[in-house]
Amino acid sequence: MTTFLDIHSTNAQLNFAELCTTANINNDTLLEFVRHDIAIPIAGAQPQQWLFHVTCVAKVKKAARLYRDLDIEWADLNLVLNLLDEIDQLKNENDELKQQLARLG
Amino acid sequence: MEFIDYYSVLGVDPTADDKTIKTAYRKLGRKYHPDVSKLPDTAEKFKRVAEAYEVLHSAEKRAEYDALCAARSSGFDRQTGHAKGGFYDESNAASNQDFADFFNAIFGEAGSRHRQQHRQHPGYDHSNQRKGADIELDWPIMLEDTLADTIKQIEFVISINDQQGYPQQVKKSLKVKIPAGIRDGERIRLKGQGTPAAGNMPAGDVYLTIRLLPHPLFDVETDNLVLTLPLAPWEAALGSKITLPTLSGKIQLAIPANSQAGQRLRLKGKGLVGKKSTGDLIVILKIVMPPTLNDSSTALWQQLAESVSFDPRREWSS
């Protein structure tokens, strides 16, 4: 089956309930994620009004998996996620520099 | 169905206490968890580790499992294949299906329903009223695909239950618009294109993570393209006009006289199309010696060496 899609989804926004459904987490978990800066609303003062950028879905899902699987405490979760991101970033930079170095060699 | 030695999977002794089991699980989690590990194909390995932990960290399930082990060693079950203990040996590992079958055989559907819920805290929404599973895919694309909105086809397999409720693997094909200026690691969400859900709940989504394929000539630095330009020594010394490749055609570049190796020349607006503006093409000069010298060129180099006072290692003597 072939479906044609034309979605500029990178700018999409999700409300509280949509983010819970998309990431398959319950309300309390998302509240904890917001409390620990893992998910940061881009608008809204109250949870009912919160809006999240769609790009945070990946981070929220990853946080939920790490919390579930590795018994990481709420307070440590954001640190772990940031360190994992930093490792990825450094690895990418390292790969790019190695490639450039190989071209100059 | 093969007997699974959960103690071997976690690499602990059958007399290990809860703390030892938890420590072993966290250590293997760090090694195999797909979000943490840099090793390939760790998802299935982690699933096995998580399953072993689920059994061994629950007093009730562990007692049930230990009773089964005891019955086995007393001759109740003399099937071959029982691990001898020690650390889990991947080469003799049972298949994933064996793992799943073995777990279900002991703990049944009720056990399966609670699999991987190690925490007391309800992190996940476990209600039956849930959307279908999301599908996450890496999508390799070429640098050229990012210059303008591009439509490309992607194929993947989803699992759909047939009328009898048995999962069937179905190939799905989608045409997806890649927005201009997309970058490595960015994601495109295709809402509702993932695994269908039961009942009236929405289907899951598909998340495509963009992976820019390495280009044979260009490297990427944010919106800029980097090109390493090989030059003959005399091109660098005397200056020259070079025809350069770009992603959108060829251009002429004037190399100034007395250029140095490693020097960077910037060509405005010849890089990647960005979300706000177009990046630059950065040309790094690389001076390449001819592979062989004939008598006349050797004589010319000799003449140069005698007439030019130049010490490339002057800084070493200071």
Side-chain angles (χ1 to χ4, degrees), chain B residues 13-62:
Chain B
D13 194 83
T15 57
D17 59 15
D18 288 350
K19 194 181 167 197
T20 308
I21 286 170
K22 189 169 183 175
T23 305
Y25 169 70
R26 293 187 85 158
K27 202 171 157 189
L28 291 170
R30 171 69 187 84
K31 189 174 177 188
Y32 291 132
H33 194 283
D35 287 317
V36 179
S37 176
K38 296 294 166 205
L39 300 168
D41 306 324
T42 54
E44 290 305 329
K45 285 177 189 164
F46 180 73
K47 225 184 260 181
R48 297 171 179 198
V49 168
E51 190 166 285
Y53 180 64
E54 185 179 345
V55 173
L56 298 184
H57 95 294
S58 151
E60 193 186 335
K61 283 183 186 156
R62 186 176 176 182

Side-chain angles (χ1 to χ4, degrees), chain A residues 1-3 5-6 9-10 21-22 24 26 29 57 61 65 67 69 71-72 88 99-100 103 105, chain B residues 25 33 35 38 119 121-123 130-131 134 136 173 175 177 187 189 207 215-216 219 221 286:
Chain A
M1 98 186 93
T2 298
T3 313
L5 293 170
D6 184 11
S9 57
T10 44
T21 308
T22 303
N24 189 27
N26 59 32
T29 305
V57 172
K61 289 173 83 172
R65 287 193 296 265
Y67 175 74
D69 295 338
D71 287 356
I72 296 171
D88 279 346
Q99 197 176 338
Q100 281 191 31
R103 291 191 201 277
Chain B
Y25 169 70
H33 194 283
D35 287 317
K38 296 294 166 205
R119 287 183 176 254
H121 203 294
R130 50 190 280 190
K131 59 179 272 209
D134 294 339
E136 307 216 10
S173 173
K175 281 182 181 166
K177 182 161 121 183
R187 295 167 147 243
R189 180 175 69 144
Y207 289 89
H215 193 279
D219 295 315
E221 284 180 358
K286 172 185 175 182

Side-chain angles (χ1 to χ4, degrees), chain B residues 244-264:
Chain B
L244 285 186
T246 71
L247 288 181
S248 51
K250 292 187 185 309
I251 54 167
Q252 289 284 314
L253 174 67
I255 306 295
N258 199 25
S259 290
Q260 296 286 342
Q263 194 174 328
R264 288 177 160 231

Side-chain angles (χ1 to χ4, degrees), chain B residues 27-147:
Chain B
K27 202 171 157 189
L28 291 170
R30 171 69 187 84
K31 189 174 177 188
Y32 291 132
H33 194 283
D35 287 317
V36 179
S37 176
K38 296 294 166 205
L39 300 168
D41 306 324
T42 54
E44 290 305 329
K45 285 177 189 164
F46 180 73
K47 225 184 260 181
R48 297 171 179 198
V49 168
E51 190 166 285
Y53 180 64
E54 185 179 345
V55 173
L56 298 184
H57 95 294
S58 151
E60 193 186 335
K61 283 183 186 156
R62 186 176 176 182
E64 213 173 319
Y65 177 73
D66 285 346
L68 185 70
C69 292
R72 230 179 146 263
S73 59
S74 66
F76 178 74
D77 180 348
R78 291 195 181 280
Q79 272 187 298
T80 56
H82 183 193
K84 294 282 188 289
F87 198 73
Y88 181 47
D89 179 3
E90 280 295 327
S91 61
N92 294 323
S95 72
N96 297 321
Q97 193 55 46
D98 283 335
F99 262 74
D101 289 347
F102 184 70
F103 187 96
N104 287 336
I106 307 176
F107 302 106
E109 285 302 308
S112 302
R113 207 162 42 241
H114 298 288
R115 289 171 80 166
Q116 297 205 13
Q117 294 176 38
H118 303 143
R119 287 183 176 254
Q120 295 299 311
H121 203 294
Y124 273 71
D125 181 3
H126 295 296
S127 67
N128 290 327
Q129 297 295 305
R130 50 190 280 190
K131 59 179 272 209
D134 294 339
I135 294 172
E136 307 216 10
L137 299 167
D138 278 354
W139 197 18
I141 63 170
M142 294 192 292
L143 286 183
E144 288 84 348
D145 295 330
T146 70
L147 297 181

